Amino acid sequence: MSIKQNVNELLSELPSGVQLVAAAKTMEASKVIEAIDAGVEIIGENYIQEAEEKYNIIGNRTKWHFIGHLQRNKVKKAVQIFDLIETVDSVEIASVIDKRCKEICKIMPVLIEINSGEEEQKSGVMPECAVSVIKEISQFGNIKIMGLMTMGPLAGEPEESRPYFIKTRDLFEYIKSLDLTGVEMKYLSMGMTNSYRIAMQEGANIVRIGSKIFGPRIN
Ligand SMILES: *Cc1c(COP(=O)(O)O)cnc(C)c1O
């Protein structure tokens, strides 16, 4: 199957309210362009340097979402390239994003990454800390909180992801019900190649899909 066929198949399957992010880590610019030509409107990248190389070739014909773990020293570049940062997981990194955005007069839309599996070594905000972290981040003038993102523990069977998607969706609905100033709970980003159908059943309206579009990653 070609990238074009894969994208067409996916786009015809996703309901209109669900946005497709093509997760393009390790994929060269020509493949990303193939996906864009086939109808992908958002590219997800995990590494700033890799994203920058492709951004310099492709530019703003597509939207760019950051879906990796963001380090402080990469924020300045990140805020120049990305339209949405999906993986904000601390007040500290948010404060750096805010500072760098002020310098370029940009309001950065972000999602808060939730560590829905509550795994010590994983990134993401623990569910029980989400409200307080979101309240603090919402004070930053150059950041706009637009929703939540989660990975969930790496599961064998797709069905094993469901409880973590449900937990994140419940949190999303709860935070929405609080109606916090400057916080919009609009996007819920959950699900990858093996789990996107379950994620959509549980309320995801952004799915991040790599291998089903580009084929398996070799390196
Ligand atoms: C790589 C990646 C994906 C896509 O993974 P696939 O299993 O290839 O679909 C989604 N989200 C994040 C954060 C990723 O790093």
Side-chain angles (χ1 to χ4, degrees):
M1 288 274 274
S2 67
I3 289 173
K4 187 181 166 67
Q5 285 172 309
N6 293 340
V7 169
N8 285 343
E9 208 171 80
L10 262 171
L11 288 177
S12 64
E13 179 187 349
L14 301 189
S16 60
V18 176
Q19 298 188 1
L20 172 63
V21 173
K25 56 180 176 275
T26 79
M27 299 301 158
E28 55 190 68
S30 63
K31 293 194 171 178
V32 175
I33 291 168
E34 265 184 77
I36 294 167
D37 286 342
V40 163
E41 294 179 351
I42 308 169
I43 301 299
E45 291 287 354
N46 292 62
Y47 306 103
I48 300 300
Q49 195 188 325
E50 189 188 332
E52 190 183 13
E53 286 165 14
K54 289 179 236 182
Y55 180 76
N56 286 340
I57 298 168
I58 299 167
N60 291 323
R61 308 171 42 185
T62 185
K63 298 253 183 257
W64 298 86
H65 284 195
F66 186 71
I67 61 174
H69 185 67
L70 189 54
Q71 294 166 306
R72 298 175 64 102
N73 62 338
K74 301 289 169 64
V75 170
K76 186 175 175 170
K77 261 276 132 56
V79 302
Q80 291 167 2
I81 295 172
F82 291 97
D83 300 289
L84 178 71
I85 297 175
E86 295 202 14
T87 47
V88 170
D89 68 351
S90 70
V91 177
E92 290 69 35
I93 200 72
S95 78
V96 183
I97 293 170
D98 182 62
K99 174 171 160 236
R100 292 304 189 183
C101 282
K102 263 195 194 81
E103 293 167 359
I104 61 168
C105 302
K106 180 168 180 171
I107 309 279
M108 177 59 74
V110 305
L111 307 183
I112 306 301
E113 181 178 359
I114 303 299
N115 183 350
S116 57
E118 300 177 61
E119 298 167 286
E120 284 300 340
Q121 72 285 8
K122 283 268 183 78
S123 53
V125 177
M126 291 294 178
E128 66 273 20
C129 301
V131 171
S132 71
V133 167
I134 284 172
K135 280 183 181 165
E136 277 201 64
I137 294 177
S138 70
Q139 306 299 313
F140 293 120
N142 288 68
I143 291 184
K144 178 85 171 94
I145 298 173
M146 298 295 294
L148 304 182
M149 177 272 203
T150 200
M151 296 271 286
L154 275 188
E157 291 300 308
E159 198 54 49
E160 290 170 33
S161 299
R162 192 184 295 276
Y164 305 100
F165 294 157
I166 292 174
K167 188 194 285 183
T168 308
R169 192 261 323 273
D170 287 350
L171 188 57
F172 177 86
E173 294 299 341
Y174 172 65
I175 295 167
K176 188 191 278 190
S177 77
L178 297 178
D179 207 11
L180 301 170
T181 310
V183 177
E184 202 174 330
M185 281 291 120
K186 181 173 181 187
Y187 297 118
L188 182 56
S189 175
M190 316 192 289
M192 324 198 326
T193 290
N194 66 359
S195 58
Y196 71 97
R197 292 194 176 104
I198 289 164
M200 291 192 305
Q201 287 166 8
E202 301 305 341
N205 55 18
I206 296 179
V207 292
R208 311 174 309 268
I209 298 181
S211 24
K212 195 180 165 75
I213 293 175
F214 297 108
R217 288 178 290 274
I218 309 145
N219 44 356

